[in-house]
Structure formats: structure tokens, C-alpha cells
Amino acid sequence: MRNIPARRFAALLLAAVLMPVVSTLACQVPDAAPITPFDGVRMTGFEAARSRGLAEALLSDNAADRALVSTLFAPGETPISQMPDGNYRCRTIKLGGLLPLTTYTQFACTVSNAGTRIEKLTGSQRFSGNLLPSDGGGLFYWGALHYGDETAMDYSADPERSQVGCLYKVAGKPVRYRLELPFPRFESTHDVIELVPTR
């Protein structure tokens, strides 16, 4: 019986790896977002990163974490052209990689500058970056990771810290958003940040 999960894991990973990459990006990189060639490749592989990460996450023993992932993806998306300014509760969910699925506690995020700037303000790992409307009904994100004892970092100041991805509004209620980061440099296959407006 103990070999069944291992076989299932291998089958899911193989299916995800062999799955053809969707020809259209989840969200196109706007011309105004000057990203590096490396990050362009990450965006080209966005669908592959998501598929592999979700396949690996299915193997988690934590039913509550699997249910959270389902609530973020199963309803689909509502097209948006701007994220509302304001304060948000945010938490990072790491799909695949070192572990099948890892969910962190909630921290504070904010969106400002007429929906063009997003920042994670608390926690040991933080990020800040820019949002621009993109084809496909989402927002393109480019920014950088920094740690709690550091000041915010500009995109591409340190390639190891650079991030790119897409932000979507999850369909239905309650209102929530998900920021997806394909092939992060550390730990996971695909990162998802859930954002919920604070009341």
C-alpha cells in the first residue's frame, strides 16, 4: 500500500511534464514591462508551471490545504483591468517542489497607486512590484522578493530575487484574488498568493 502514493505521484508528475504548453500565455507581458529574457521564459512556461504545481499539490496529505487550493482555482476567474487600492490579507501557497503543498499564515499586503503597485508588508519574506493590465483578463506582475530586515528591492536589481506572474480575480464570493508566480527561484514549482480585502 505504501507504494501506491509513490506510483501515483510519479504518474501525475509524468502527465504534467508531458502536458503540452498552452500556446497563449495566461497573461501577455505588456510592452511597458521591461522584463529579462530569463523571466520571459518563465512566463512562456506559465501554464506548465501551474499544471505541474497543481499535480504535485494533489499529493498532499493535508485536506484543508488541498481544499484551499480548490477554492482558488475551481471557480475560474472574473476578468479585471485594475486591482482596487486598499489593504489585503495575503498568504503564500507553494505548489510542488520540495514538498507537495505548503500553506503559510496570513500577512498584510497593500495595493496602491491606482492599482499599479502591490506590496507584502509583513512576514519574513516580502515582495513588492508593479501591476499592469494584460490580455486574458488578468494583470501582469513584475517585482522582487526581499526579507523583513531589508528595504524593498527593485525588479532585476538582483536576478535571484526577481519575480514575474499573473494576478486574477477569483470568480464568486467572497472576493479574493490570486497572484501566481511560475517557477520561483526557491523551493517550489509554482507559487500562489491569495489576497482577500480587509473590511
Side-chain angles (χ1 to χ4, degrees):
M1 291 294 290
R2 282 181 293 180
N3 289 332
I4 293 175
R7 274 195 235 111
R8 183 167 170 244
F9 179 80
L12 284 168
L13 275 185
L14 182 61
V17 169
L18 295 178
M19 186 179 298
V21 176
V22 177
S23 58
T24 55
L25 295 177
C27 62
Q28 300 288 336
V29 180
D31 292 338
I35 66 171
T36 65
F38 178 87
D39 286 334
V41 171
R42 284 207 278 193
M43 286 303 299
T44 300
F46 185 98
E47 292 289 348
R50 176 197 278 171
S51 298
R52 285 176 52 188
L54 288 171
E56 292 176 77
L58 287 175
L59 279 300
S60 172
D61 293 329
N62 190 314
D65 285 354
R66 293 197 312 270
L68 171 61
V69 173
S70 179
T71 63
L72 290 175
F73 284 91
E77 297 85 35
T78 298
I80 56 171
S81 59
Q82 182 176 315
M83 181 113 172
D85 283 358
N87 298 318
Y88 292 80
R89 297 193 318 272
C90 57
R91 60 179 158 184
T92 300
I93 301 134
K94 292 183 173 290
L95 307 180
L98 296 179
L99 295 172
L101 176 59
T102 304
T103 299
Y104 291 91
T105 190
Q106 293 179 332
F107 292 99
C109 284
T110 187
V111 174
S112 59
N113 292 357
T116 62
R117 185 74 180 165
I118 185 169
E119 298 177 81
K120 182 173 181 279
L121 303 174
T122 59
S124 59
Q125 293 188 18
R126 307 179 186 187
F127 64 84
S128 61
N130 307 290
L131 296 170
L132 279 179
S134 171
D135 293 340
L139 304 174
F140 177 70
Y141 163 82
W142 75 106
L145 167 74
H146 67 279
Y147 295 98
D149 59 350
E150 300 174 331
T151 57
M153 189 175 288
D154 291 333
Y155 172 80
S156 79
D158 178 351
E160 291 292 316
R161 306 283 192 91
S162 292
Q163 301 171 316
V164 288
C166 298
L167 189 146
Y168 298 99
K169 183 178 183 182
V170 179
K173 299 289 184 180
V175 174
R176 60 171 51 125
Y177 302 81
R178 68 171 195 268
L179 173 59
E180 299 184 53
L181 308 175
F183 297 119
R185 295 273 193 169
F186 310 105
E187 299 175 349
S188 51
T189 302
H190 195 70
D191 282 355
V192 180
I193 293 117
E194 177 197 36
L195 297 114
V196 178
T198 60
R199 301 299 179 193

